[in-house]
């Protein structure tokens, strides 16, 4: 498997080829992904506090108001925040970020209002939540490659919400179904996170976590026969993490492999010393396979080398 170049190696290659100077390379290497002023960050904190206060006040004032009226107010709120978001979009960096925050608020308002409408229509709460999540996921996918954070945040939060509510709606006591859907949903999030999109780390990290939870759920629900499930799924996740050099996938995959291996060893071996030796032997097997693969790669490169 060909090793991917790191950022530092890529910049060094560009310096050697004369594309960049050493100073330009250092500026790129140490530049933050995003830049925020303290004033902007404090403004976000103040806005968050104000938003919580407004929500609490409005919630208290609307205790005796009908659900239909609340849904209508949320839709109207979405129209206002959506209009402001569109107006700010594409301007300065700060205004663009504020635009995306308002866009998230708009999506949540529409999603919650839609869930209330579903509840008024006597749809079960589980399915209402699933509908809310679908609204967030749909808009997140639409905006995933056009936004800085909106798409990534919405799909990362919407997918698990949909999975839990959808699985509960089908059979809330079926752990196998929940685990399977978590693995599938997490895999789809990881795939989405490998595409060109803003804040792609979020869906990759969330997807890795969901795959890990799903694998552990399947492993425990299938009993002794399912001990190997986390091991297999973790190995696949770790392998993809190696290919992508994604630390979040490597961490989740390694934890999953280790959990599956320990579960198998503790279940099949009674002696404590033998358990430790079996775990060490497993690690040595991995190293042996890796050594064999490296020897084959070196041999292949020598065979493919041109002769004089």
């Amino acid at each position: 498997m060909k090793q991917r170049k790191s950022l530092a190696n890529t910049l060094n290659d560009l310096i050697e080829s004369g594309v960049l100077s050493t100073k330009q390379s250092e500026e790129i290497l140490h530049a933050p992904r995003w830049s925020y002023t303290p004033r902007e960050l404090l403004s976000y904190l103040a806005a968050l506090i104000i938003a919580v206060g407004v929500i609490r006040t409005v919630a208290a004032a609307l205790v005796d108001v009908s659900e239909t009226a609340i849904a209508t107010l949320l839709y109207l709120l979405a129209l206002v925040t959506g209009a402001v978001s569109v107006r700010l979009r594409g301007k300065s960096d700060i205004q663009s970020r504020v635009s995306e925050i308002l866009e998230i608020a708009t999506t949540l308002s529409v999603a919650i209002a839609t869930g209330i409408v579903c509840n008024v229509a006597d749809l079960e709460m589980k399915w209402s939540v699933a509908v809310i999540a679908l609204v967030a996921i749909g808009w997140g996918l639409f905006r995933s490659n056009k936004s800085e954070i909106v798409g990534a945040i919405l799909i990362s939060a919407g997918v698990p919400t949909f999975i839990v509510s959808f699985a509960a709606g089908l059979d809330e006591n079926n752990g196998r179904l929940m685990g399977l859907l978590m693995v599938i949903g997490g895999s789809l999030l990881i795939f989405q996170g490998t595409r060109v999109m803003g804040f792609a780390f979020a869906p990759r990290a969330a997807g890795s976590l969901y795959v890990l939870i799903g694998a552990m759920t399947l492993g425990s629900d299938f009993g002794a026969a399912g001990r190997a499930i986390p091991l297999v799924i973790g190995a696949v996740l770790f392998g993809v993490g190696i290919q992508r050099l994604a630390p979040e996938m490597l961490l989740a995959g390694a934890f999953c492999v280790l959990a599956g291996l320990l579960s198998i060893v503790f279940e099949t071996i009674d002696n404590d010393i033998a358990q430790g030796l079996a775990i060490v032997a497993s690690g040595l097997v991995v190293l042996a396979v890796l050594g064999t693969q490296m020897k084959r790669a070196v041999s292949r490169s020598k065979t493919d080398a041109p002769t004089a």
Side-chain angles (χ1 to χ4, degrees), residues 133-144:
L134 280 178
V135 173
I137 294 171
W139 187 252
L141 290 174
F142 176 73
R143 293 281 291 148
S144 60

Side-chain angles (χ1 to χ4, degrees), residues 24-290:
Q24 290 172 327
S25 172
E26 291 178 352
E27 290 178 352
I28 294 174
L29 183 61
H30 299 291
R33 177 64 179 82
W34 294 291
S35 179
Y36 301 92
T37 64
R39 181 178 180 181
E40 182 184 357
L41 294 176
L42 286 173
S43 299
Y44 291 150
L45 176 60
L48 178 62
I49 295 173
I50 293 172
V52 172
V54 170
I55 292 173
R56 180 67 184 91
T57 304
V58 172
L62 297 179
V63 171
D64 299 324
V65 178
S66 67
E67 292 182 332
T68 303
I70 294 175
T72 303
L73 288 175
L74 286 172
Y75 281 127
L76 291 175
L77 175 63
L79 284 175
V80 174
T81 55
V84 176
S85 174
V86 172
R87 189 176 182 83
L88 294 176
R89 188 179 301 168
K91 295 187 177 181
S92 67
D93 290 342
I94 294 178
Q95 288 177 316
S96 295
R97 285 194 285 266
V98 172
S99 171
E100 295 207 7
I101 293 173
L102 290 174
E103 186 176 344
I104 294 175
T106 301
T107 307
L108 292 178
S109 296
V110 172
I112 295 172
T114 305
I116 293 175
V117 171
C118 293
N119 187 55
V120 172
D122 292 331
L123 190 66
E124 288 187 34
M125 179 59 70
K126 302 165 187 175
W127 297 113
S128 297
V129 173
V131 171
I132 293 174
L134 280 178
V135 173
I137 294 171
W139 187 252
L141 290 174
F142 176 73
R143 293 281 291 148
S144 60
N145 60 347
K146 303 175 184 177
S147 63
E148 188 172 322
I149 61 172
V150 170
I153 290 178
L154 289 178
I155 63 175
S156 298
V159 167
T161 304
F162 173 77
I163 287 174
V164 172
S165 56
F166 181 73
L170 294 178
D171 186 355
E172 60 183 356
N173 296 319
N174 193 333
R176 297 181 182 182
L177 176 63
M178 178 70 74
L180 180 61
L181 290 178
M182 289 294 284
V183 171
I184 294 174
S187 300
L188 292 176
L189 271 179
I190 291 173
F191 173 75
Q192 182 68 22
T194 60
R195 301 177 59 205
V196 178
M197 61 177 294
F199 200 31
F201 170 79
R204 288 200 309 270
S208 300
L209 177 61
Y210 304 150
V211 169
L212 170 62
I213 295 174
M216 299 302 292
T217 301
L218 289 173
S220 61
D221 197 73
F222 275 95
R227 303 291 183 184
I229 293 179
L231 178 63
V232 174
I233 294 178
V236 173
L237 184 60
F238 193 83
V240 177
I242 292 175
Q243 185 180 18
R244 303 290 309 180
L245 289 181
E248 64 281 355
M249 298 170 65
L250 291 171
L251 182 62
F255 184 87
C256 204
V257 167
L258 183 60
L261 176 63
L262 293 179
S263 179
I264 293 174
V265 170
F266 293 156
E267 180 70 21
T268 56
I269 301 176
D270 294 330
N271 185 275
D272 293 345
I273 296 178
Q275 289 175 352
L277 293 175
I279 295 171
V280 172
S282 300
L284 292 176
V285 169
V286 174
L287 290 178
V289 172
L290 176 61

